Amino acid sequence: MLYIRQVKHLARQLGVSVAHLEEVANNADLFCEELTLIDPNKPDKQRSVLNVTGALRRLQRDLLRVVLMPKLKPSPYSHGGVSGRHIKTNISCHLDSVHALVLDISDFFPSVSSNRVYKLFTQRFCCSPDVARICTMLCTYNYHLALGLITSPFLADQILHVVDHRIACACKKAGLVYTRFVDDITISGTYNLHPKKSGLAKLVQGILADHGFEVNPNKTKSGRLDKDFEITKLRIKRGHTDVRQEYITELERQIKDARNLADGRPFEGPYYTRDQIAGRLNFVCWVNPGRRRSLKNKFRAVQWNNVLIRSQELGLFKTIKELRSKKGKAIAIDVSSKLKDAKSESGR
């Protein structure tokens, strides 16, 4: 618990004056800008994120690192946004299982209202109403948690403590394993967990509903773990964690494409730099070290200096994600490869 009873005590912990703390909290919206994240590989799936700047960002950072994290423990079942835990530890908990059920909490951050955050600070964290009001204003946008506020994952996890406890207790009684990665719930065991053959999905849905959350029915799925079943975009292959087959296929295609570009052969595109491909390769090797030797050999076989020279000759640009403000201003420019010209050039 925090037990912060006066605003001056909170200000002292954050290393600022009370006047500064209240001024930033009362004008938090001035430090926020709504952006749209555009992935050139998924142009139809745009995401809204919040860009937080200046004094508000500094206060949120210090509130998280100095006040919240040292005194409050994350849920033991949570693997998202927790130091030392990640998507690999999340799926590793299910290595000994045969069947799995995954569910997704719909509109996770927006469903956590500022009123719930205020109650979290007053009731669970034992803060005074004045302190809770300041913290709520610092940690919410448009009256709810938002993607882009660095305190959102931590506070959402704290709110889900009781949910995790209830689901985990039910799973333990049924001999099942339970984990959560932010808003992705995974339950596994030795028997079929299909919603039509097990009442587990309905039970979890009921527990979430009791606490104001809904399940996204389009993302509920079940299956055998040895049939390339995905958990947070990873899978279990021969008793080990692995990336999706589609991810491997695309990575190998990108490496081959880079080699073709270096050798002056037809280039498919889009264009990815050496660092971009190396980052994906390192991710695969981290998830499944058994793939390291084969992928590294293919990567080293590429004449990367020639790739750079050839890309400059063809006028190719690095494909990156783009952040665009609601007013249409580009924050991070994304220029796709000039594939049409590249194909005609490389085919000559």
Side-chain angles (χ1 to χ4, degrees):
M1 300 305 101
L2 299 181
Y3 295 110
I4 304 176
R5 309 305 299 173
Q6 296 185 43
V7 175
K8 66 179 181 180
H9 295 156
L10 174 63
R12 186 179 305 147
Q13 291 187 49
L14 295 176
V16 298
S17 67
V18 172
H20 176 78
L21 183 59
E22 291 183 338
E23 181 179 4
V24 174
N26 289 326
N27 297 280
D29 287 358
L30 299 180
F31 300 92
C32 298
E33 181 182 17
E34 293 184 34
L35 303 176
T36 300
L37 179 62
I38 303 173
D39 186 341
N41 295 318
K42 301 176 182 178
D44 296 331
K45 294 184 178 180
Q46 300 182 2
R47 300 179 66 186
S48 295
V49 297
L50 203 61
N51 181 38
V52 183
T53 61
L56 178 60
R57 185 172 184 84
R58 289 191 292 272
L59 286 177
Q60 285 184 345
R61 178 198 63 199
D62 293 341
L63 180 64
L64 178 64
R65 297 178 182 178
V66 179
V67 179
L68 300 177
M69 293 181 66
K71 297 180 181 180
L72 302 168
K73 294 182 179 180
S75 167
Y77 307 99
S78 175
H79 292 260
V82 180
S83 178
R85 304 182 203 168
H86 35 68
I87 56 174
K88 188 175 177 179
T89 60
N90 183 60
I91 192 173
S92 294
C93 294
H94 304 277
L95 286 175
D96 296 329
S97 297
V98 180
H99 297 268
L101 169 71
V102 297
L103 306 98
D104 177 87
I105 302 176
S106 182
D107 295 324
F108 184 42
F109 286 160
S111 64
V112 181
S113 67
S114 56
N115 186 47
R116 294 186 69 173
V117 174
Y118 176 81
K119 289 181 179 178
L120 180 69
F121 276 97
T122 55
Q123 298 175 7
R124 181 144 176 253
F125 296 167
C126 299
C127 294
S128 69
D130 286 342
V131 171
R133 177 183 62 83
I134 292 290
C135 290
T136 300
M137 295 170 71
L138 291 175
C139 298
T140 58
Y141 176 79
N142 199 20
Y143 306 105
H144 59 73
L145 294 186
L147 185 64
L149 300 178
I150 61 174
T151 50
S152 289
F154 189 90
L155 293 177
D157 178 72
Q158 293 294 312
I159 287 175
L160 283 177
H161 269 225
V162 62
V163 174
D164 285 344
H165 178 72
R166 289 184 62 185
I167 298 176
C169 286
C171 288
K172 185 176 181 180
K173 291 179 181 178
L176 301 171
V177 179
Y178 167 70
T179 63
R180 177 176 54 79
F181 187 85
V182 189
D183 57 354
D184 293 323
I185 290 173
T186 303
I187 299 172
S188 69
T190 58
Y191 53 90
N192 195 335
L193 298 175
H194 192 282
K196 293 184 178 180
K197 296 185 178 181
S198 168
L200 189 59
K202 181 176 274 190
L203 173 64
V204 173
Q205 184 176 354
I207 292 174
L208 289 170
D210 288 344
H211 297 274
F213 296 102
E214 295 182 0
V215 170
N216 184 341
N218 297 324
K219 293 186 177 182
T220 298
K221 61 179 182 178
S222 64
R224 289 182 62 94
L225 290 171
D226 59 355
K227 299 296 183 181
D228 289 343
F229 187 83
E230 294 181 17
I231 298 177
T232 54
K233 297 186 178 181
L234 298 183
R235 60 175 177 160
I236 295 175
K237 186 78 170 179
R238 300 188 185 92
H240 300 283
T241 57
D242 198 5
V243 297
R244 297 170 295 157
Q245 182 57 50
E246 295 84 357
Y247 195 96
I248 287 294
T249 301
E250 173 59 16
L251 176 59
E252 291 180 334
R253 187 202 66 79
Q254 291 173 13
I255 296 175
K256 181 180 179 181
D257 211 28
R259 188 170 183 176
N260 288 340
L261 181 61
D263 296 342
R265 293 195 294 266
F267 169 70
E268 180 180 347
Y271 170 63
Y272 294 103
T273 66
R274 182 183 188 278
D275 289 343
Q276 285 180 305
I277 296 177
R280 291 162 189 165
L281 187 150
N282 290 333
F283 170 72
V284 172
C285 295
W286 171 72
V287 174
N288 183 1
R291 293 189 178 274
R292 182 183 302 277
R293 184 175 180 179
S294 174
L295 288 175
K296 289 286 187 179
N297 287 339
K298 293 178 181 179
F299 184 82
R300 293 191 185 103
V302 178
Q303 298 295 321
W304 289 104
N305 286 337
N306 290 349
V307 170
L308 180 60
I309 293 171
R310 188 65 174 156
S311 66
Q312 292 174 344
E313 290 176 349
L314 297 177
L316 304 180
F317 296 90
K318 179 170 66 173
T319 300
I320 59 175
K321 293 180 180 180
E322 175 187 351
L323 280 175
R324 185 172 292 274
S325 71
K326 297 296 183 180
K327 299 178 181 179
K329 179 183 177 182
I331 305 300
I333 298 177
D334 169 46
V335 185
S336 300
S337 303
K338 298 178 181 178
L339 293 180
K340 200 169 186 180
D341 294 336
K343 287 181 179 178
S344 60
E345 279 285 332
S346 58
R348 290 178 184 175

